[in-house]
Amino acid sequence: MTHGKLFVVATPIGNLGDITFRAVEALKSVDFIICEDTRVTSILLHHFDISKPLAVINAHNESKSLERVVERISANESAALVSDAGTPCISDPGVRLVNFAIEKGIEVVGIPGVNAAIMALSISGLPTDAFAFEGFLPQKKGRQKKLQQLAEEERTIVLYESTYRIEKLLEELSEYMPQRQIVVGRELTKKFEETWRGTAEEILTDFEKRNTKGEFVVIIAPPSWKKADSESL
Ligand code: SAM
């Protein structure tokens, strides 16, 4: 029975083959799908031959649309929340919707799948027993302070970065954490997937030589971690 439930459905981060059977089933079974951008979600739905009404919840309209969507689910419709890519609510909209649904007594069901941070961690070869997920660093106010704090962080750090600021971020990391081992994953699961390993300065040197556009996850090793430590993992 799907009625009156909110499914939080993870979708691929680039490679459509990475969707799960349960995700497709959930998207086919619900009454409507809540997404960030109808153009992006329509491509996914079209690929899997799914046709459903879409409701949009994003950073611009979240407050207004929440109540409407939750009213529909309370009236026994079922809905799936997706984001443009990966797992909803992880550096993506949806947290307020999930929170509001829980407050209203709606059952929230997760359909797990891809997340760029976890995928990058899994191929990083760096310690994963404890990590600090920081997502996107603040763009202006508070950025330097955050970098100073992260320089003291004892755990592996996970950051998201866009194509526009990746070089700036690497420059900052070479200043604040010059000795740390860093893994940069670009366009994971996609055609131009690539991984760099080294200090921020080493990676930056390679970046400056060629075209490095795309979406990035940056994993930073703990200060105490040396390459030789991998034997003890
Ligand atoms: N909810 C998503 C998830 O579960 O990973 C994250 C959404 S966030 C708005 C988008 C950021 O995630 C990108 O700027 C990039 O840092 C990271 N990202 C998403 N897809 C990626 C990919 N295929 N390769 C590398 N990074 C990716």
Side-chain angles (χ1 to χ4, degrees):
M1 282 288 285
T2 59
H3 294 299
K5 291 183 187 170
L6 173 64
F7 293 87
V8 179
V9 180
T11 59
I13 56 168
N15 188 326
L16 292 180
D18 289 334
I19 200 160
T20 68
F21 289 120
R22 280 188 74 213
V24 174
E25 263 172 33
L27 294 174
K28 280 186 174 162
S29 71
V30 292
D31 294 309
F32 67 104
I33 295 171
I34 306 154
C35 64
E36 268 185 89
D37 182 332
T38 54
R39 289 163 304 181
V40 177
T41 297
S42 296
I43 294 170
L44 177 83
L45 296 180
H46 184 255
H47 184 83
F48 292 100
D49 207 15
I50 299 170
S51 171
K52 292 283 168 181
L54 298 177
V56 176
I57 287 192
N58 55 34
H60 307 293
N61 76 350
E62 197 162 6
S63 312
K64 272 184 283 165
S65 308
L66 277 183
E67 283 189 34
R68 234 173 299 143
V69 160
V70 167
E71 264 170 30
R72 287 178 68 179
I73 306 174
S74 296
N76 226 17
E77 285 193 69
S78 57
L81 168 68
V82 298
S83 60
D84 283 354
T87 303
C89 305
I90 308 296
S91 296
D92 264 340
V95 175
R96 290 182 61 204
L97 170 64
V98 171
N99 212 287
F100 195 40
I102 293 165
E103 263 176 34
K104 295 284 173 188
I106 290 169
E107 189 179 344
V108 178
V109 181
I111 309 282
V114 191
N115 166 253
I118 298 296
M119 190 207 149
L121 269 173
S122 75
I123 59 165
S124 70
L126 300 179
T128 55
D129 47 348
F131 59 86
F133 174 70
E134 290 284 341
F136 295 100
L137 291 183
Q139 281 182 31
K140 291 195 179 91
K141 198 163 168 275
R143 189 176 175 95
Q144 303 307 317
K145 192 165 169 223
K146 176 58 86 177
L147 281 159
Q148 276 161 9
Q149 282 170 0
L150 292 180
E152 304 296 318
E153 174 60 62
E154 301 278 328
R155 296 166 293 180
T156 297
I157 301 165
V158 186
L159 302 176
Y160 281 163
E161 196 49 277
S162 74
T163 204
Y164 306 107
R165 277 177 296 274
I166 186 67
E167 290 199 19
K168 176 175 187 250
L169 176 64
L170 287 169
E171 279 163 18
E172 290 165 328
L173 295 180
S174 66
E175 183 187 331
Y176 284 88
M177 317 177 194
Q179 310 300 333
R180 302 270 191 104
Q181 279 299 306
I182 291 178
V183 177
V184 175
R186 167 174 86 135
E187 295 287 273
L188 299 170
T189 77
K190 302 190 207 176
K191 188 172 173 192
F192 296 108
E193 177 172 357
E194 198 165 357
T195 307
W196 287 260
R197 294 163 202 277
T199 62
E201 200 177 337
E202 286 164 350
I203 297 171
L204 199 53
T205 306
D206 193 57
F207 263 55
E208 282 162 355
K209 282 190 226 145
R210 55 209 184 90
N211 174 11
T212 43
K213 295 223 176 315
E215 295 190 284
F216 296 89
V217 182
V218 177
I219 314 271
I220 305 166
S224 56
W225 195 85
K226 308 267 177 314
K227 267 187 189 163
D229 289 351
S230 61
E231 282 159 28
S232 63
L233 287 175

